[in-house]
Structures are given as structure tokens and as C-alpha cells.
mmCIF file of all heavy atoms in Angstrom:
data_model
loop_
_atom_site.group_PDB
_atom_site.id
_atom_site.type_symbol
_atom_site.label_atom_id
_atom_site.label_comp_id
_atom_site.label_asym_id
_atom_site.label_seq_id
_atom_site.Cartn_x
_atom_site.Cartn_y
_atom_site.Cartn_z
ATOM 1 N N GLU A 134 0.790 -1.238 -0.033
ATOM 2 C CA GLU A 134 0.039 0.009 0.033
ATOM 3 C C GLU A 134 0.843 1.266 -0.070
ATOM 4 O O GLU A 134 0.544 2.260 -0.720
ATOM 5 C CB GLU A 134 -0.967 -0.038 1.167
ATOM 6 C CG GLU A 134 -1.912 1.173 1.259
ATOM 7 C CD GLU A 134 -2.788 1.147 2.506
ATOM 8 O OE1 GLU A 134 -2.824 0.090 3.218
ATOM 9 O OE2 GLU A 134 -3.582 2.099 2.655
ATOM 10 N N LEU A 135 1.969 1.187 0.759
ATOM 11 C CA LEU A 135 2.864 2.352 0.801
ATOM 12 C C LEU A 135 3.475 2.615 -0.549
ATOM 13 O O LEU A 135 3.544 3.815 -1.055
ATOM 14 C CB LEU A 135 3.841 2.095 1.881
ATOM 15 C CG LEU A 135 4.966 3.226 2.020
ATOM 16 C CD1 LEU A 135 4.322 4.509 2.460
ATOM 17 C CD2 LEU A 135 6.032 2.781 3.061
ATOM 18 N N LEU A 136 3.877 1.602 -1.335
ATOM 19 C CA LEU A 136 4.460 1.696 -2.629
ATOM 20 C C LEU A 136 3.382 2.349 -3.638
ATOM 21 O O LEU A 136 3.706 3.132 -4.435
ATOM 22 C CB LEU A 136 4.949 0.387 -3.116
ATOM 23 C CG LEU A 136 6.331 -0.078 -2.606
ATOM 24 C CD1 LEU A 136 6.583 -1.481 -2.996
ATOM 25 C CD2 LEU A 136 7.425 0.918 -3.236
ATOM 26 N N THR A 137 2.148 1.869 -3.383
ATOM 27 C CA THR A 137 1.071 2.561 -4.241
ATOM 28 C C THR A 137 0.973 4.038 -3.951
ATOM 29 O O THR A 137 0.868 4.766 -4.863
ATOM 30 C CB THR A 137 -0.266 1.875 -3.891
ATOM 31 O OG1 THR A 137 -0.144 0.432 -4.318
ATOM 32 C CG2 THR A 137 -1.314 2.458 -4.778
ATOM 33 N N ASN A 138 1.087 4.306 -2.724
ATOM 34 C CA ASN A 138 0.848 5.826 -2.342
ATOM 35 C C ASN A 138 2.208 6.547 -2.793
ATOM 36 O O ASN A 138 2.060 7.701 -3.319
ATOM 37 C CB ASN A 138 0.710 5.961 -0.886
ATOM 38 C CG ASN A 138 -0.569 5.408 -0.401
ATOM 39 O OD1 ASN A 138 -1.540 5.386 -1.082
ATOM 40 N ND2 ASN A 138 -0.593 5.019 0.917
ATOM 41 N N VAL A 139 3.310 5.977 -2.773
ATOM 42 C CA VAL A 139 4.598 6.618 -3.221
ATOM 43 C C VAL A 139 4.610 6.804 -4.707
ATOM 44 O O VAL A 139 4.940 7.796 -5.211
ATOM 45 C CB VAL A 139 5.829 5.730 -2.778
ATOM 46 C CG1 VAL A 139 7.110 6.374 -3.418
ATOM 47 C CG2 VAL A 139 5.968 5.832 -1.261
ATOM 48 N N LEU A 140 3.942 5.774 -5.411
ATOM 49 C CA LEU A 140 3.939 5.867 -6.838
ATOM 50 C C LEU A 140 3.000 6.954 -7.275
ATOM 51 O O LEU A 140 3.229 7.845 -8.194
ATOM 52 C CB LEU A 140 3.493 4.579 -7.470
ATOM 53 C CG LEU A 140 3.343 4.470 -8.942
ATOM 54 C CD1 LEU A 140 4.643 4.752 -9.603
ATOM 55 C CD2 LEU A 140 2.856 3.110 -9.426
ATOM 56 N N GLN A 141 1.884 7.138 -6.682
ATOM 57 C CA GLN A 141 0.963 8.227 -6.922
ATOM 58 C C GLN A 141 1.557 9.594 -6.558
ATOM 59 O O GLN A 141 1.394 10.490 -7.288
ATOM 60 C CB GLN A 141 -0.287 8.053 -6.157
ATOM 61 C CG GLN A 141 -1.166 6.802 -6.485
ATOM 62 C CD GLN A 141 -2.358 6.603 -5.729
ATOM 63 O OE1 GLN A 141 -2.509 7.169 -4.510
ATOM 64 N NE2 GLN A 141 -3.323 5.653 -6.085
ATOM 65 N N ALA A 142 2.301 9.666 -5.408
ATOM 66 C CA ALA A 142 3.031 10.930 -5.068
ATOM 67 C C ALA A 142 3.998 11.226 -6.057
ATOM 68 O O ALA A 142 4.213 12.454 -6.394
ATOM 69 C CB ALA A 142 3.559 10.782 -3.667
ATOM 70 N N ASN A 143 4.745 10.179 -6.524
ATOM 71 C CA ASN A 143 5.760 10.452 -7.565
ATOM 72 C C ASN A 143 5.164 11.016 -8.848
ATOM 73 O O ASN A 143 5.716 11.936 -9.408
ATOM 74 C CB ASN A 143 6.433 9.154 -7.868
ATOM 75 C CG ASN A 143 7.623 9.282 -8.834
ATOM 76 O OD1 ASN A 143 8.638 9.860 -8.589
ATOM 77 N ND2 ASN A 143 7.388 8.812 -10.069
ATOM 78 N N LEU A 144 4.074 10.374 -9.312
ATOM 79 C CA LEU A 144 3.383 10.902 -10.536
ATOM 80 C C LEU A 144 2.862 12.352 -10.270
ATOM 81 O O LEU A 144 2.971 13.197 -11.242
ATOM 82 C CB LEU A 144 2.226 10.015 -10.851
ATOM 83 C CG LEU A 144 2.698 8.560 -11.298
ATOM 84 C CD1 LEU A 144 1.514 7.752 -11.552
ATOM 85 C CD2 LEU A 144 3.567 8.553 -12.413
ATOM 86 N N ALA A 145 2.443 12.633 -9.105
ATOM 87 C CA ALA A 145 1.843 13.986 -8.830
ATOM 88 C C ALA A 145 3.106 15.021 -8.847
ATOM 89 O O ALA A 145 2.972 16.043 -9.324
ATOM 90 C CB ALA A 145 1.260 13.988 -7.441
ATOM 91 N N GLN A 146 4.294 14.515 -8.290
ATOM 92 C CA GLN A 146 5.380 15.466 -8.280
ATOM 93 C C GLN A 146 5.931 15.692 -9.702
ATOM 94 O O GLN A 146 6.341 16.797 -10.107
ATOM 95 C CB GLN A 146 6.529 14.721 -7.431
ATOM 96 C CG GLN A 146 6.313 14.724 -6.034
ATOM 97 C CD GLN A 146 6.603 16.035 -5.412
ATOM 98 O OE1 GLN A 146 5.828 16.921 -5.414
ATOM 99 N NE2 GLN A 146 7.715 16.212 -4.758
ATOM 100 N N ILE A 147 5.855 14.671 -10.568
ATOM 101 C CA ILE A 147 6.169 14.770 -11.948
ATOM 102 C C ILE A 147 5.242 15.836 -12.735
ATOM 103 O O ILE A 147 5.689 16.720 -13.398
ATOM 104 C CB ILE A 147 6.147 13.514 -12.694
ATOM 105 C CG1 ILE A 147 7.316 12.627 -12.169
ATOM 106 C CG2 ILE A 147 6.375 13.706 -14.186
ATOM 107 C CD1 ILE A 147 7.307 11.175 -12.734
ATOM 108 N N SER A 148 3.939 15.716 -12.287
ATOM 109 C CA SER A 148 2.933 16.619 -12.951
ATOM 110 C C SER A 148 3.174 18.126 -12.454
ATOM 111 O O SER A 148 3.094 19.003 -13.313
ATOM 112 C CB SER A 148 1.611 16.134 -12.599
ATOM 113 O OG SER A 148 0.598 17.057 -13.070
ATOM 114 N N VAL A 149 3.577 18.184 -11.277
ATOM 115 C CA VAL A 149 3.887 19.527 -10.667
ATOM 116 C C VAL A 149 5.057 20.157 -11.436
ATOM 117 O O VAL A 149 5.070 21.228 -11.749
ATOM 118 C CB VAL A 149 4.006 19.446 -9.115
ATOM 119 C CG1 VAL A 149 4.536 20.871 -8.653
ATOM 120 C CG2 VAL A 149 2.684 19.200 -8.505
ATOM 121 N N GLN A 150 6.144 19.244 -11.521
ATOM 122 C CA GLN A 150 7.284 19.752 -12.235
ATOM 123 C C GLN A 150 7.005 20.180 -13.672
ATOM 124 O O GLN A 150 7.518 21.103 -14.086
ATOM 125 C CB GLN A 150 8.342 18.692 -12.195
ATOM 126 C CG GLN A 150 9.038 18.471 -10.891
ATOM 127 C CD GLN A 150 10.116 17.328 -10.896
ATOM 128 O OE1 GLN A 150 10.329 16.742 -11.965
ATOM 129 N NE2 GLN A 150 10.842 17.185 -9.835
ATOM 130 N N GLN A 151 6.183 19.424 -14.298
ATOM 131 C CA GLN A 151 5.812 19.747 -15.753
ATOM 132 C C GLN A 151 5.030 21.078 -15.812
ATOM 133 O O GLN A 151 5.283 21.814 -16.682
ATOM 134 C CB GLN A 151 5.032 18.587 -16.351
ATOM 135 C CG GLN A 151 5.879 17.344 -16.588
ATOM 136 C CD GLN A 151 4.977 16.143 -17.120
ATOM 137 O OE1 GLN A 151 3.771 16.169 -16.880
ATOM 138 N NE2 GLN A 151 5.658 15.243 -17.722
ATOM 139 N N ASN A 152 4.154 21.200 -14.864
ATOM 140 C CA ASN A 152 3.393 22.443 -14.821
ATOM 141 C C ASN A 152 4.295 23.687 -14.528
ATOM 142 O O ASN A 152 4.147 24.719 -15.187
ATOM 143 C CB ASN A 152 2.337 22.455 -13.790
ATOM 144 C CG ASN A 152 1.237 21.466 -14.213
ATOM 145 O OD1 ASN A 152 0.933 21.166 -15.425
ATOM 146 N ND2 ASN A 152 0.473 21.034 -13.195
ATOM 147 N N ASP A 153 5.271 23.364 -13.615
ATOM 148 C CA ASP A 153 6.205 24.509 -13.287
ATOM 149 C C ASP A 153 7.065 24.832 -14.471
ATOM 150 O O ASP A 153 7.343 26.013 -14.704
ATOM 151 C CB ASP A 153 7.103 23.972 -12.097
ATOM 152 C CG ASP A 153 7.978 25.110 -11.707
ATOM 153 O OD1 ASP A 153 7.484 26.220 -11.357
ATOM 154 O OD2 ASP A 153 9.141 24.886 -11.614
ATOM 155 N N ASP A 154 7.496 23.779 -15.174
ATOM 156 C CA ASP A 154 8.328 23.985 -16.417
ATOM 157 C C ASP A 154 7.506 24.868 -17.524
ATOM 158 O O ASP A 154 7.989 25.824 -18.132
ATOM 159 C CB ASP A 154 8.785 22.755 -16.995
ATOM 160 C CG ASP A 154 9.793 22.028 -16.130
ATOM 161 O OD1 ASP A 154 10.290 22.698 -15.276
ATOM 162 O OD2 ASP A 154 9.922 20.775 -16.312
ATOM 163 N N MET A 155 6.243 24.507 -17.668
ATOM 164 C CA MET A 155 5.391 25.206 -18.534
ATOM 165 C C MET A 155 5.252 26.641 -18.181
ATOM 166 O O MET A 155 5.161 27.492 -19.088
ATOM 167 C CB MET A 155 4.073 24.468 -18.702
ATOM 168 C CG MET A 155 4.161 23.200 -19.425
ATOM 169 S SD MET A 155 4.788 23.228 -21.113
ATOM 170 C CE MET A 155 3.607 24.411 -21.866
ATOM 171 N N ARG A 156 5.084 26.907 -16.933
ATOM 172 C CA ARG A 156 4.889 28.263 -16.473
ATOM 173 C C ARG A 156 6.186 29.097 -16.753
ATOM 174 O O ARG A 156 6.124 30.289 -17.214
ATOM 175 C CB ARG A 156 4.620 28.329 -14.916
ATOM 176 C CG ARG A 156 3.122 28.002 -14.605
ATOM 177 C CD ARG A 156 2.820 28.466 -13.289
ATOM 178 N NE ARG A 156 3.645 27.774 -12.252
ATOM 179 C CZ ARG A 156 3.425 26.742 -11.532
ATOM 180 N NH1 ARG A 156 2.261 26.027 -11.784
ATOM 181 N NH2 ARG A 156 4.202 26.177 -10.674
ATOM 182 N N LYS A 157 7.297 28.444 -16.399
ATOM 183 C CA LYS A 157 8.647 29.121 -16.786
ATOM 184 C C LYS A 157 8.758 29.406 -18.316
ATOM 185 O O LYS A 157 9.348 30.504 -18.722
ATOM 186 C CB LYS A 157 9.729 28.418 -16.249
ATOM 187 C CG LYS A 157 9.838 28.297 -14.710
ATOM 188 C CD LYS A 157 11.054 27.466 -14.199
ATOM 189 C CE LYS A 157 11.105 27.504 -12.675
ATOM 190 N NZ LYS A 157 12.244 26.685 -12.120
ATOM 191 N N ILE A 158 8.561 28.430 -19.078
ATOM 192 C CA ILE A 158 8.586 28.537 -20.554
ATOM 193 C C ILE A 158 7.763 29.692 -21.014
ATOM 194 O O ILE A 158 8.016 30.618 -21.763
ATOM 195 C CB ILE A 158 8.307 27.368 -21.194
ATOM 196 C CG1 ILE A 158 9.369 26.311 -20.878
ATOM 197 C CG2 ILE A 158 8.157 27.492 -22.727
ATOM 198 C CD1 ILE A 158 8.920 24.851 -21.435
ATOM 199 N N SER A 159 6.453 29.667 -20.485
ATOM 200 C CA SER A 159 5.500 30.719 -20.841
ATOM 201 C C SER A 159 5.878 32.174 -20.360
ATOM 202 O O SER A 159 5.871 33.092 -21.174
ATOM 203 C CB SER A 159 4.129 30.489 -20.275
ATOM 204 O OG SER A 159 3.626 29.175 -20.713
ATOM 205 N N ALA A 160 6.564 32.154 -19.210
ATOM 206 C CA ALA A 160 7.021 33.516 -18.725
ATOM 207 C C ALA A 160 8.200 34.089 -19.613
ATOM 208 O O ALA A 160 8.164 35.227 -19.969
ATOM 209 C CB ALA A 160 7.448 33.303 -17.167
ATOM 210 N N TRP A 161 9.149 33.194 -19.990
ATOM 211 C CA TRP A 161 10.165 33.628 -20.772
ATOM 212 C C TRP A 161 9.757 33.938 -22.192
ATOM 213 O O TRP A 161 10.256 34.887 -22.793
ATOM 214 C CB TRP A 161 11.351 32.545 -20.853
ATOM 215 C CG TRP A 161 12.111 32.455 -19.594
ATOM 216 C CD1 TRP A 161 12.203 31.350 -18.714
ATOM 217 C CD2 TRP A 161 13.021 33.499 -19.125
ATOM 218 N NE1 TRP A 161 13.027 31.704 -17.691
ATOM 219 C CE2 TRP A 161 13.587 32.938 -17.918
ATOM 220 C CE3 TRP A 161 13.423 34.701 -19.642
ATOM 221 C CZ2 TRP A 161 14.541 33.665 -17.206
ATOM 222 C CZ3 TRP A 161 14.257 35.462 -18.805
ATOM 223 C CH2 TRP A 161 14.936 34.908 -17.630
ATOM 224 N N VAL A 162 8.786 33.209 -22.638
ATOM 225 C CA VAL A 162 8.125 33.574 -24.081
ATOM 226 C C VAL A 162 7.566 34.990 -23.915
ATOM 227 O O VAL A 162 7.704 35.831 -24.844
ATOM 228 C CB VAL A 162 7.201 32.598 -24.494
ATOM 229 C CG1 VAL A 162 6.433 33.099 -25.685
ATOM 230 C CG2 VAL A 162 7.802 31.254 -24.731
ATOM 231 N N GLY A 163 6.797 35.267 -22.812
ATOM 232 C CA GLY A 163 6.285 36.599 -22.646
ATOM 233 C C GLY A 163 7.321 37.697 -22.607
ATOM 234 O O GLY A 163 7.144 38.734 -23.134
#
């Protein structure tokens, strides 16, 4: 169960990183 939660948290962290990258890219484009 812990590994399932860690995997979900890992995917959430990746999603957050991708969103953060997109914001930075958009800011520099602006």
C-alpha cells in the first residue's frame, strides 16, 4: 500500500514539475 501511495505521489510530483516548467517557459516567452 505504501508503494502505491509513493507511486501516486511520484506521479503528482512529476505533474507539478511539468506544470512548473510550462509556467517558466510561458514566462520567458512573454
